[in-house]
Amino acid sequence: MKHYLLQLAEKQSFSEQQMEEAVDFILGEEVSESEIAAFLMGLKSKGETVDEIAGIVRAMKGNTLRFNQKFPNVLDNCGTGGDGSSSFNVSTTSAFVIAGAGIPVAKHGNRSISSKTGSADVLEYLGVNLNLSSERTEEILHEIGIAFLFAPHVHPKLKKVMTVRKALKIPTVFNYIGPLTNPIELDYQLLGVSRRDLLNVFAEVLKKLGRKRAVVINGAGFMDEASLQGENHYTLLEDGIITNHIFTPEDVNLPQYNNSEIRGGDSIENGEILLKVLKGEKGAPRDTVLLNAGIGIYTAGKASSIAQGIDLAKQVIDSGAAYAKLKALIEKSKKGQKEAI
């Protein structure tokens, strides 16, 4: 470990392979919490490169619960968190709409860390079993087109790193890379970031990770998802080319709302908001979900524009298809409770 720390102290960047080796070592049993803290702070002080982030992600994916099946055209929609908006679980709600549009969704998520309610908290309240075996998770994804991958369950070797991360109380690279570490091999990804300076960085990482198509978005008010408050900035990765774009609510035929209108609360409150949206209740939460689901549908290539994706998202909610996906996930995951680890 001393070698890696000295390299960081001298502000020397790691190659992708070197970083993968370093994180493999950190995820082992021999490294102390103080050494992990020194490594994370040294990396933060130096500034993380695209190769280093890709190396961290590859190491984490190499130390996850094993998933053997290959799923064509699967997507994840997840944000980094850390935007301080206290919004309800927009991406989790949107995931059921995207799945209702016929796009397989492997939703990767966690309990609350920096927000009041994480995706795992709200899904657990709604009755989803979080701790399924990898085999059962694959079966559910194949059967109904949506599955939830609970981060602590699929990344068992991260416990020590998470303890250090919480103790530091200072954002490090591990605060932002969670959405990149989905153990299912994704073709498509909608990734929300709370830092606008990471848009192109994360697009480059997703390119290295082999995504067919991806959107990395920073919403108005620096939310880690698309917002109807004003300008949204995003990068599009398509055919290996990264381009930068901006749009407003007016550009996609949606009304403007202040971000305060989509604030949530605890898992009960957020779960009820999710249910209301999927059951068709109109207002700021629904329109925000339409926007984010529309972008997800566009990311997966099922719509030729964000506006067209939003139109399809409306049809999915109004037909009951999105709510049906939630009910199916609850039912299928409960059937697998005996297989929980």
Side-chain angles (χ1 to χ4, degrees), residues 228 247-254 291 306-307 310:
L228 291 169
F247 72 87
T248 65
E250 292 77 16
D251 294 331
V252 293
N253 305 313
L254 285 173
L291 174 61
I306 293 173
I310 291 168

Side-chain angles (χ1 to χ4, degrees), residues 227-254:
S227 160
L228 291 169
Q229 182 169 282
E231 280 191 350
N232 293 270
H233 294 244
Y234 73 96
T235 57
L236 172 66
L237 168 65
E238 186 172 29
D239 298 325
I241 298 169
I242 295 168
T243 53
N244 296 285
H245 308 268
I246 299 173
F247 72 87
T248 65
E250 292 77 16
D251 294 331
V252 293
N253 305 313
L254 285 173

Side-chain angles (χ1 to χ4, degrees), residues 215-233:
V215 167
V216 186
I217 190 154
N218 176 260
F222 296 94
M223 290 189 71
D224 70 332
E225 52 213 355
S227 160
L228 291 169
Q229 182 169 282
E231 280 191 350
N232 293 270
H233 294 244

